[in-house]
Each structure stands twice: as C-alpha cells, then as structure tokens.
Amino acid sequence: DVKVTQSSRYLVKRTGEKVFLECVQDMDHENMFWYRQDPGLGLRLIYFSYDVKMKEKGDIPEGYSVSREKKERFSLILESASTNQTSMYLCASSGDRGRMNTEAFFGQGTRLTVV
Amino acid sequence: AQKITQTQPGMFVQEKEAVTLDCTYDTSDPSYGLFWYKQPSSGEMIFLIYQGSYDQQNATEGRYSLNFQKARKSANLVISASQLGDSAMYFCAMREIAGNNRKLIWGLGTSLAVNP
C-alpha cells in the first residue's frame, strides 16, 4: 500500500522557533509537494520538488524553505515561526513525470499551532 | 489563467440518495487532467477519480462518476447511493500539460453532509 508519512500529526511551537516538518514517501516518486490549508482558502502550494536537491517556489513560499537531500524525504522548514503560520500542513507526492493521470498521494497532515 | 471554481461551499444529501458536486475550470491548454479528492475530518486527502481532457468516456469509480462537459468546462462529481461515511470536504483539481505539469490547481472545496 502506497504511503506518505508526515512526522507529526499535531505540533505546538513558540514564536521565533525554527520548525521542521518532515515527509517521507515509499513510492519512489519524483515529485513532492508541501501545501498549507486554511479555512476558506483551500490548499495553497508552498514549495515543490521534482528531483533530489531540486526545489521550486509555489504560490506562498515566504517564510518557508525546503530541503530534499534524498528522493524519499522532503522537509519543510519554518525559519522563524510566526503566529500567522498556524495552519494545517499537507505533504504530497506524485510519480511518472509527464503522465497526466498520475494522482498525488497525501500524508495525514500536520496541524501546527504557533503560540 | 488556470482556475478551478467550486460554487457550493456546503451541500446536504439524504442517505442513499445521489448528489452532484459542481466543478468548473478555466484553461487555455487543450490537454489537461481533472481530479477529485475527498478529505474526511481526519484530514487526509483521498484520491477519488480522474478525467483526462481527451477521454471519450466519463470516468467512473464505484459509486463515483464524473459528469464531464468539455464545452462548458465543467467536471461535476456524482456520488450515487450516498453513505454516512461520504460526509467530508470534496476538492476538484486540475493539472495542465503545458508548462509545469507537476502542479495541481485546486478549488476551494465543497463540504458534504449526509443525513441519516
């Protein structure tokens, strides 16, 4: 069974802390994504990666960075957490670059609260 | 610009009845794919069904079917024989082949409540 695993389900951090959200997939997918989801705003893409060490900005990259040192792992980093980064964070992966019908598989989500 | 519109923020349906969730899209690319996902209260996004722009037939997956009307740029999800477990958020998404086809464009979702 395909799997995308996020390291934490719930996380509470203090303002100014450096926060790491980890995501691991076991499907050998090339593409990995980080989204944040807020009520009324849907899913917004933060960053994505289509290969090891490659990354591209999504729609809302400010305040975030990412790391992809290995194909199966994609980390989201909040350099200095702020209260407006309180949100649900979703990691996803997809394979077969160039094929249209490859769906994205999602992790269970991390609900981050910054206090 | 690419865009997905889901006009129904919330929907109610009686158990065992069918329900249609609307999705319209905007793209200038002739080649694209359309996806529907379900998100229960647990938070995980679950893939339901896919429709390609060149597919001749409407996609079906069990109780899910897609009413694809290309000229109207709509891709409505039909859930037949609703069950209580269908209560969730439903998202429509699109991928274009032009440019960067790795990204999905998302609608804001429709919240479906199934009443017993």
Side-chain angles (χ1 to χ4, degrees):
Chain A
D1 204 14
V2 297
K3 211 153 186 176
V4 179
T5 303
Q6 295 182 227
S7 53
S8 304
R9 194 71 191 269
Y10 299 95
L11 215 49
V12 180
K13 294 292 181 180
R14 296 194 179 278
T15 301
E17 272 193 80
K18 191 168 186 175
V19 181
F20 293 86
L21 303 183
E22 306 283 350
C23 176
V24 177
Q25 50 97 0
D26 64 1
M27 296 164 280
D28 201 34
H29 282 167
E30 297 91 351
N31 309 311
M32 297 189 74
F33 308 82
W34 274 107
Y35 294 92
R36 66 175 280 177
Q37 184 178 21
D38 301 287
L41 297 178
L43 273 74
R44 292 182 292 169
L45 182 64
I46 305 171
Y47 268 97
F48 67 101
S49 167
Y50 53 89
D51 204 348
V52 176
K53 297 193 186 295
M54 304 302 288
K55 60 186 179 185
E56 287 198 26
K57 292 180 180 179
D59 301 315
I60 51 163
E62 296 79 19
Y64 303 94
S65 62
V66 289
S67 171
R68 193 162 182 205
E69 296 296 318
K70 293 185 177 181
K71 191 175 185 180
E72 67 270 18
R73 187 180 295 270
F74 192 36
S75 303
L76 180 69
I77 303 153
L78 286 66
E79 297 290 342
S80 177
S82 63
T83 53
N84 63 12
Q85 292 178 308
T86 291
S87 186
M88 169 73 111
Y89 290 87
L90 292 166
C91 175
S93 73
S94 69
D96 295 326
R97 184 172 26 186
R99 283 182 53 194
M100 289 297 294
N101 64 339
T102 51
E103 71 270 31
F105 294 88
F106 282 80
Q108 76 276 29
T110 296
R111 195 168 290 281
L112 173 68
T113 302
V114 182
V115 297
Chain B
Q2 316 133 18
K3 191 175 179 182
I4 293 281
T5 302
Q6 295 181 252
T7 56
Q8 308 150 313
M11 290 278 287
F12 294 91
V13 65
Q14 210 61 32
E15 194 178 7
K16 299 179 186 174
E17 291 186 353
V19 63
T20 298
L21 306 183
D22 294 343
C23 173
T24 58
Y25 58 92
D26 190 17
T27 178
S28 56
D29 196 320
S31 185
Y32 51 89
L34 296 154
F35 301 79
W36 275 92
Y37 283 81
K38 172 184 178 182
Q39 187 180 38
S41 56
S42 58
E44 186 176 352
M45 297 282 280
I46 302 165
F47 166 72
L48 295 178
I49 196 167
Y50 167 83
Q51 180 83 45
S53 59
Y54 294 119
D55 292 345
Q56 297 296 315
Q57 308 257 1
N58 284 346
T60 60
E61 287 286 349
R63 293 187 300 111
Y64 304 109
S65 61
L66 213 151
N67 183 1
F68 181 48
Q69 298 186 44
K70 197 170 180 177
R72 297 180 61 184
K73 293 189 175 179
S74 75
N76 299 338
L77 177 71
V78 180
I79 306 174
S80 63
S82 297
Q83 301 172 356
L84 296 178
D86 294 335
S87 294
M89 282 290 292
Y90 288 82
F91 292 92
C92 181
M94 175 176 68
R95 177 186 293 138
E96 293 177 330
I97 199 164
N100 190 331
N101 75 333
R102 303 174 185 93
K103 294 197 300 183
L104 286 167
I105 310 299
W106 294 86
L108 294 183
T110 295
S111 177
L112 177 67
V114 180
N115 298 323

